[in-house]
Amino acid sequence: MSPAFRTMDVEPRTKGILLEPFVHQVGGHSCVLRFNETTLCKPLVPREHQFYETLPAEMRRFTPQYKAVLIFVRFADEFGASGNIETKEQGVVSVRFEEDEDRNLCLIAYPLKGDHGPVDIVDNSDCEPKSKLLRWTNKKHHVLETEKSPKDWVRQHRKEEKMKSHKLEEEFEWLKKSEVLYYSVEKKGTVSSQLKHYNPWSMKCHQQQLQRMKENAKHRNQYKFILLENLTCRYEVPCVLDLKMGTRQHGDDASEEKAANQIRKCQQSTSAVIGVRVCGMQVYQAGTGQLMFMNKYHGRKLSVQGFKEALFQFFHNGRYLRRELLGPVLKKLTELKAVLERQESYRFYSSSLLVIYDGKEWPEVTLDSDAEDLEDLSEESADESAGAYAYKPLGASSVDVRMIDFAHTTCRLYGEDSVVHEGQDAGYIFGLQSLIDIVTEISEESGE
């Protein structure tokens, strides 16, 4: 494994990193949070963690990078003076919820405890004001000097939190009813800053994570989260498609009830027919200046023809089809299929595939072949032809295709699994081939 590193200078007795909702999460039920601009974190599931730790080399370019944060820790002596410096490499952080001065709950990340006890991290990233709608405060965050015990906190807030919980259920019931939503993007301000106040699925997952942690506060207030690459950070207006892959979704360890529920969802959706279904979508429509959101409830109802139309809509900006994206998508899907056909024993149950591109179109700039720093261009942003490069910013006309969510993945390398599969993951590969066929149809029908 060759993780990406981010260096942080860590001082004793300072605040941890305030985690924000990841505003471009369009599917899944696990809460994904923003650690910093280039890094996300999500609750650690041992099976998923093991997947990233043992990931075959040829699969790495098709998954988010497992990120280790390089931390320099200064230990203070008994008089408060800085002492020795120790370097720690961590791909996992400890997360807990804390009250701010307005009694709003925040999720805070700290390094895992070592031999020297807990050490807090300084957040070096530039943070924008937090949205009240998402229960963040725009005042400076302070960790309470005298922390209440979880038991006292729960007793004090039990009645209040019961009311909030009931209200939360009512607030998000509309998500099932409003399966496709449109949001007008203002010209001033970034899309990400505006989505802090709006993205319905991100808000839902974040609030549910807080609720789960509050309900368990009597027993624990410390959770492990894994650090992963933020795949959307290089795009100005990320368009994101989350596809649930494969003909089977339940893991080998699922209960009979869980397995039956997942089988029913597959049978009643395109999963059973073509091995793939829409789990979520966010796409920018330049024609109207709107972001369109489609959630998993709508995705489950789509027919095969409806799935094709949704895919067409994802690559359409409200004015015309982004034909220049279809070739790169097909290339990456074909390459991923070839990689998975070489993997023995893996089963990616309940895994998703992300397709990401920039909704903002960039002008093409031609650089001379002797220009400096050409080696820094990504393969998506450089097209070598006749001694020249057609250069575009990183987000321009590039498409990212990545596998995500491996909480139910199994492989014979996982020694403790009671069931060991042989051969390829035929259901996932079937879904990939269906996706390739449908994108090809869209390309041919559009005259590409």
Side-chain angles (χ1 to χ4, degrees):
M1 181 185 67
S2 56
F5 292 94
R6 176 178 175 84
T7 302
M8 287 190 179
D9 200 18
V10 180
E11 299 284 356
R13 294 187 299 275
T14 55
K15 67 185 182 71
I17 290 183
L18 177 64
L19 301 176
E20 299 178 333
F22 174 51
V23 298
H24 300 301
Q25 180 179 0
V26 299
H29 61 271
S30 180
C31 178
V32 180
L33 299 167
R34 180 186 182 275
F35 184 81
N36 57 42
E37 182 179 356
T38 62
T39 309
L40 304 177
C41 64
K42 61 182 293 190
L44 184 148
V45 177
R47 184 174 296 275
E48 183 170 44
H49 190 210
Q50 186 175 18
F51 170 82
Y52 282 110
E53 292 279 5
T54 61
L55 181 64
E58 64 177 342
M59 287 187 61
R60 287 177 189 160
R61 67 190 181 105
F62 293 109
T63 62
Q65 199 164 33
Y66 172 65
K67 303 195 74 173
V69 179
L70 194 61
I71 303 175
F72 294 96
V73 183
R74 290 188 178 90
F75 296 98
D77 59 23
E78 58 183 325
F79 302 104
S82 295
N84 296 330
I85 297 179
E86 178 179 314
T87 301
K88 293 185 177 182
E89 175 190 333
Q90 293 187 335
V92 178
V93 293
S94 176
V95 174
R96 66 186 189 184
F97 67 86
E98 299 175 2
E99 274 191 294
D100 64 17
E101 56 193 17
D102 294 327
R103 294 175 61 186
N104 295 316
L105 290 177
C106 303
L107 294 177
I108 312 294
Y110 299 91
L112 292 178
K113 290 184 179 181
D115 296 334
H116 300 276
V119 183
D120 300 336
I121 351 186
V122 175
D123 185 1
N124 293 334
S125 62
D126 295 325
C127 294
E128 301 176 38
K130 314 303 181 296
S131 161
K132 274 292 189 178
L133 178 61
L134 297 180
R135 289 183 171 81
W136 302 92
T137 174
N138 56 10
K139 298 181 180 179
K140 186 176 179 181
H141 173 78
H142 296 280
V143 177
L144 299 179
E145 294 182 2
T146 305
E147 295 185 356
K148 303 173 185 176
S149 69
K151 185 175 181 180
D152 292 339
W153 186 91
V154 171
R155 184 181 296 114
Q156 178 180 345
H157 295 283
R158 183 170 294 160
K159 183 176 180 180
E160 178 182 341
E161 294 308 314
K162 185 178 291 187
M163 294 174 62
K164 287 183 179 179
S165 177
H166 180 68
K167 183 179 180 181
L168 188 61
E169 292 177 4
E170 293 180 343
E171 286 177 352
F172 296 117
E173 185 61 29
W174 64 275
L175 272 176
K176 293 184 178 180
K177 299 177 181 178
S178 304
E179 297 169 354
V180 179
L181 300 170
Y182 293 85
Y183 175 64
S184 295
V185 179
E186 298 178 7
K187 292 184 178 180
K188 59 181 180 179
T190 65
V191 171
S192 293
S193 65
Q194 294 180 54
L195 286 183
K196 283 180 187 296
H197 305 262
Y198 184 75
N199 186 322
W201 200 262
S202 171
M203 185 173 70
K204 170 184 181 292
C205 292
H206 178 254
Q207 297 287 22
Q208 287 183 338
Q209 180 68 36
L210 273 176
Q211 192 64 30
R212 284 192 294 268
M213 293 176 75
K214 286 186 287 185
E215 290 171 353
N216 291 329
K218 184 176 182 180
H219 308 288
R220 62 183 296 202
N221 183 19
Q222 192 163 324
Y223 299 80
K224 289 183 179 180
F225 277 53
I226 188 173
L227 297 176
L228 296 170
E229 174 187 8
N230 178 4
L231 299 173
T232 68
C233 67
R234 65 195 184 111
Y235 300 108
E236 184 161 336
V237 187
C239 295
V240 184
L241 176 64
D242 187 324
L243 298 170
K244 186 70 72 174
M245 301 299 296
T247 54
R248 169 180 162 177
Q249 301 302 324
H250 63 281
D252 293 322
D253 57 348
S255 64
E256 290 186 10
E257 180 182 1
K258 178 71 171 180
N261 185 44
Q262 293 292 350
I263 291 172
R264 176 181 55 80
K265 290 178 183 177
C266 287
Q267 290 175 339
Q268 296 177 354
S269 69
T270 55
S271 293
V273 184
I274 57 175
V276 56
R277 71 173 184 258
V278 173
C279 192
M281 181 195 300
Q282 168 185 302
V283 60
Y284 179 64
Q285 299 184 326
T288 59
Q290 292 181 318
L291 278 167
M292 187 275 284
F293 297 93
M294 180 185 295
N295 66 29
K296 66 179 183 181
Y297 303 111
H298 186 77
R300 290 177 191 166
K301 297 177 181 179
L302 296 175
S303 63
V304 174
Q305 180 60 30
F307 176 87
K308 180 179 178 180
E309 292 171 358
L311 212 57
F312 181 91
Q313 189 173 22
F314 176 67
F315 291 111
H316 200 285
N317 68 0
R319 292 175 180 163
Y320 50 83
L321 185 69
R322 296 283 301 273
R323 294 184 181 88
E324 78 279 8
L325 302 172
L326 302 181
V329 167
L330 285 171
K331 181 176 183 292
K332 293 193 175 185
L333 290 175
T334 302
E335 291 172 346
L336 173 58
K337 179 172 175 284
V339 168
L340 294 188
E341 287 174 340
R342 294 192 290 268
Q343 306 308 312
E344 288 288 325
S345 182
Y346 273 100
R347 295 296 182 272
F348 303 101
Y349 299 135
S350 200
S351 177
S352 285
L353 189 70
L354 287 186
V355 181
I356 311 171
Y357 70 89
D358 202 335
K360 178 173 180 177
E361 298 181 77
W362 299 83
E364 188 170 298
V365 180
T366 301
L367 297 180
D368 185 81
S369 58
D370 294 329
E372 296 181 356
D373 300 327
L374 288 178
E375 64 273 15
D376 294 333
L377 302 180
S378 68
E379 62 177 1
E380 295 91 353
S381 62
D383 180 24
E384 189 170 9
S385 175
Y389 282 81
Y391 174 72
K392 299 173 184 177
L394 271 179
S397 296
S398 68
V399 182
D400 214 348
V401 174
R402 306 286 187 106
M403 301 172 66
I404 62 167
D405 297 340
F406 303 101
H408 300 287
T409 292
T410 182
C411 176
R412 62 177 168 222
L413 296 175
Y414 305 169
E416 298 180 357
D417 285 358
S418 58
V419 180
V420 177
H421 300 271
E422 299 295 334
Q424 310 163 346
D425 188 339
Y428 197 109
I429 293 172
F430 172 62
L432 276 177
Q433 186 59 56
S434 298
L435 199 54
I436 291 170
D437 293 341
I438 293 173
V439 175
T440 299
E441 288 177 12
I442 293 174
S443 178
E444 291 175 348
E445 292 170 2
S446 67
E448 176 69 7

